[in-house]
Amino acid sequence: MTTKQEAISITRRLEFDSGHRIPNHDGQCRHLHGHRYAIEVTLTGVIADHPGKADDGMVLDFGDIKRLTNQYVVEPWDHAFLVAKEDAGLVAYLNSIPNHKTVVMEHVPTVENLASAAFRVLQPVFEKAFDGRLKLASIRLYETPNCWADVSHS
Protein backbone atom coordinates (compact mmCIF):
# COMPACT_ATOMS: atom_id res chain seq x y z
CA MET A 1 0.00 0.00 0.00
CA THR A 2 1.38 3.38 -1.02
CA THR A 3 0.58 6.44 1.05
CA LYS A 4 0.45 9.85 -0.49
CA GLN A 5 2.98 12.20 1.01
CA GLU A 6 1.77 15.55 2.28
CA ALA A 7 2.93 18.75 0.60
CA ILE A 8 5.46 20.75 2.57
CA SER A 9 6.13 24.47 2.11
CA ILE A 10 9.59 25.96 2.55
CA THR A 11 10.54 29.64 2.48
CA ARG A 12 13.78 31.50 1.80
CA ARG A 13 14.21 35.21 2.56
CA LEU A 14 16.60 37.49 0.65
CA GLU A 15 17.15 41.25 0.80
CA PHE A 16 18.07 43.95 -1.69
CA ASP A 17 18.09 47.74 -2.03
CA SER A 18 16.29 49.62 -4.79
CA GLY A 19 15.04 53.08 -5.57
CA HIS A 20 11.66 53.95 -7.03
CA ARG A 21 8.89 56.49 -7.06
CA ILE A 22 5.14 56.37 -7.44
CA PRO A 23 4.64 59.27 -9.87
CA ASN A 24 0.95 59.97 -9.25
CA HIS A 25 0.98 59.42 -5.49
CA ASP A 26 -0.64 62.11 -3.33
CA GLY A 27 2.05 61.88 -0.65
CA GLN A 28 5.80 61.53 -0.20
CA CYS A 29 6.09 58.46 -2.42
CA ARG A 30 5.89 60.63 -5.54
CA HIS A 31 9.49 61.68 -4.80
CA LEU A 32 12.57 59.63 -5.66
CA HIS A 33 13.40 57.38 -2.70
CA GLY A 34 14.60 53.91 -1.87
CA HIS A 35 13.88 50.89 0.29
CA ARG A 36 15.60 47.89 1.81
CA TYR A 37 13.31 45.26 0.32
CA ALA A 38 13.02 41.72 1.62
CA ILE A 39 11.58 38.96 -0.54
CA GLU A 40 10.30 35.67 0.84
CA VAL A 41 9.96 32.88 -1.70
CA THR A 42 7.75 29.96 -0.65
CA LEU A 43 7.80 26.68 -2.57
CA THR A 44 5.59 23.65 -2.05
CA GLY A 45 6.56 20.07 -2.77
CA VAL A 46 7.15 16.70 -1.20
CA ILE A 47 10.11 15.65 0.87
CA ALA A 48 12.72 13.80 -1.17
CA ASP A 49 13.24 10.18 -0.19
CA HIS A 50 16.73 9.70 -1.59
CA PRO A 51 18.79 7.79 1.00
CA GLY A 52 22.45 8.63 0.74
CA LYS A 53 21.85 11.66 -1.52
CA ALA A 54 22.44 15.30 -0.62
CA ASP A 55 18.75 16.22 -0.93
CA ASP A 56 17.42 13.34 1.20
CA GLY A 57 14.77 14.64 3.58
CA MET A 58 14.42 18.01 1.80
CA VAL A 59 11.80 19.60 -0.40
CA LEU A 60 14.65 21.59 -1.95
CA ASP A 61 18.00 22.85 -0.76
CA PHE A 62 17.56 26.46 0.42
CA GLY A 63 20.70 27.31 -1.53
CA ASP A 64 18.87 26.50 -4.78
CA ILE A 65 16.09 28.95 -3.87
CA LYS A 66 18.73 31.58 -3.11
CA ARG A 67 20.65 30.96 -6.34
CA LEU A 68 17.63 31.20 -8.63
CA THR A 69 15.96 34.10 -6.83
CA ASN A 70 19.24 36.02 -6.86
CA GLN A 71 19.76 35.34 -10.55
CA TYR A 72 16.30 36.31 -11.74
CA VAL A 73 15.07 38.96 -9.27
CA VAL A 74 17.56 40.14 -6.64
CA GLU A 75 20.61 40.78 -8.82
CA PRO A 76 18.65 42.61 -11.57
CA TRP A 77 16.82 44.78 -9.01
CA ASP A 78 19.51 45.29 -6.36
CA HIS A 79 20.92 48.83 -6.33
CA ALA A 80 18.79 49.64 -9.37
CA PHE A 81 16.18 52.32 -9.86
CA LEU A 82 12.84 50.68 -10.65
CA VAL A 83 10.80 53.00 -12.84
CA ALA A 84 7.46 52.67 -14.64
CA LYS A 85 7.70 52.86 -18.42
CA GLU A 86 4.89 55.46 -18.29
CA ASP A 87 7.13 57.75 -16.18
CA ALA A 88 8.71 58.98 -19.42
CA GLY A 89 10.53 62.03 -18.04
CA LEU A 90 12.24 60.00 -15.33
CA VAL A 91 13.05 57.15 -17.74
CA ALA A 92 14.73 59.66 -20.08
CA TYR A 93 16.66 61.24 -17.20
CA LEU A 94 17.88 57.90 -15.84
CA ASN A 95 18.91 56.83 -19.35
CA SER A 96 21.05 59.98 -19.58
CA ILE A 97 23.21 58.87 -16.64
CA PRO A 98 26.14 56.80 -17.92
CA ASN A 99 26.15 53.21 -16.65
CA HIS A 100 23.12 53.78 -14.40
CA LYS A 101 21.34 50.61 -13.32
CA THR A 102 17.75 51.28 -14.34
CA VAL A 103 14.97 48.70 -14.61
CA VAL A 104 11.99 49.91 -16.62
CA MET A 105 8.86 48.18 -15.33
CA GLU A 106 5.60 47.56 -17.16
CA HIS A 107 3.65 49.02 -14.23
CA VAL A 108 4.16 51.61 -11.50
CA PRO A 109 6.68 50.04 -9.08
CA THR A 110 4.40 49.71 -6.05
CA VAL A 111 5.17 46.83 -3.71
CA GLU A 112 2.09 45.07 -5.06
CA ASN A 113 3.24 45.33 -8.67
CA LEU A 114 6.81 44.37 -7.78
CA ALA A 115 5.64 41.27 -5.89
CA SER A 116 3.46 40.30 -8.84
CA ALA A 117 6.34 40.84 -11.28
CA ALA A 118 8.68 38.71 -9.13
CA PHE A 119 6.07 35.93 -9.02
CA ARG A 120 5.63 36.00 -12.82
CA VAL A 121 9.40 35.82 -13.28
CA LEU A 122 10.07 33.07 -10.73
CA GLN A 123 7.10 30.76 -11.32
CA PRO A 124 8.36 29.28 -14.61
CA VAL A 125 11.97 29.30 -13.37
CA PHE A 126 11.24 27.00 -10.41
CA GLU A 127 8.84 24.82 -12.39
CA LYS A 128 11.36 24.26 -15.21
CA ALA A 129 14.41 23.86 -12.96
CA PHE A 130 12.88 21.03 -10.98
CA ASP A 131 10.77 19.27 -13.63
CA GLY A 132 7.46 20.49 -12.25
CA ARG A 133 7.85 18.71 -8.89
CA LEU A 134 7.80 22.03 -7.02
CA LYS A 135 5.24 24.80 -7.10
CA LEU A 136 5.97 28.43 -6.36
CA ALA A 137 3.30 28.85 -3.72
CA SER A 138 3.81 32.51 -2.84
CA ILE A 139 5.98 35.58 -2.82
CA ARG A 140 5.97 38.03 0.06
CA LEU A 141 7.74 41.30 -0.70
CA TYR A 142 8.45 43.70 2.15
CA GLU A 143 8.85 47.35 1.21
CA THR A 144 9.43 48.26 4.85
CA PRO A 145 9.40 46.07 7.98
CA ASN A 146 5.74 47.02 8.46
CA CYS A 147 4.44 47.03 4.86
CA TRP A 148 4.38 44.15 2.39
CA ALA A 149 2.45 42.48 -0.41
CA ASP A 150 1.68 38.79 -0.85
CA VAL A 151 1.13 37.02 -4.16
CA SER A 152 0.09 33.39 -4.17
CA HIS A 153 -0.50 30.71 -6.75
CA SER A 154 -4.12 30.64 -7.83
Side-chain angles (χ1 to χ4, degrees):
M1 181 169 114
T2 305
T3 58
K4 187 175 181 198
Q5 198 177 16
E6 68 274 9
I8 303 286
S9 292
I10 59 171
T11 302
R12 175 72 195 236
R13 179 184 173 104
L14 300 141
E15 297 182 357
F16 61 96
D17 299 291
S18 296
H20 78 151
R21 83 173 187 140
I22 311 303
N24 300 312
H25 194 267
D26 291 337
Q28 297 293 335
C29 291
R30 72 181 177 275
H31 303 293
L32 304 179
H33 65 285
H35 295 282
R36 176 73 175 174
Y37 289 94
I39 186 170
E40 294 178 353
V41 177
T42 301
L43 298 169
T44 302
V46 296
I47 298 171
D49 182 15
H50 302 145
K53 304 280 177 140
D55 68 346
D56 188 39
M58 298 179 185
V59 171
L60 182 67
D61 189 303
F62 287 110
D64 289 328
I65 301 173
K66 178 182 178 181
R67 176 178 53 81
L68 291 170
T69 303
N70 272 335
Q71 180 179 350
Y72 290 97
V73 174
V74 173
E75 289 170 7
W77 292 0
D78 188 37
H79 285 81
F81 199 90
L82 311 175
V83 60
K85 69 179 182 179
E86 70 189 54
D87 199 352
L90 184 54
V91 170
Y93 170 71
L94 293 169
N95 286 336
S96 75
I97 303 170
N99 301 313
H100 190 268
K101 191 173 179 183
T102 302
V103 177
V104 179
M105 311 293 295
E106 285 296 312
H107 303 287
V108 175
T110 61
V111 70
E112 297 91 338
N113 284 333
L114 293 173
S116 181
F119 192 93
R120 285 191 312 274
V121 167
L122 291 174
Q123 184 177 24
V125 167
F126 282 105
E127 188 172 310
K128 182 179 177 189
F130 304 102
D131 299 322
R133 68 176 186 86
L134 297 173
K135 179 173 89 172
L136 178 60
S138 65
I139 295 284
R140 173 170 280 179
L141 184 64
Y142 290 87
E143 188 172 81
T144 72
N146 301 316
C147 300
W148 65 86
D150 291 319
V151 180
S152 58
H153 193 273
S154 52

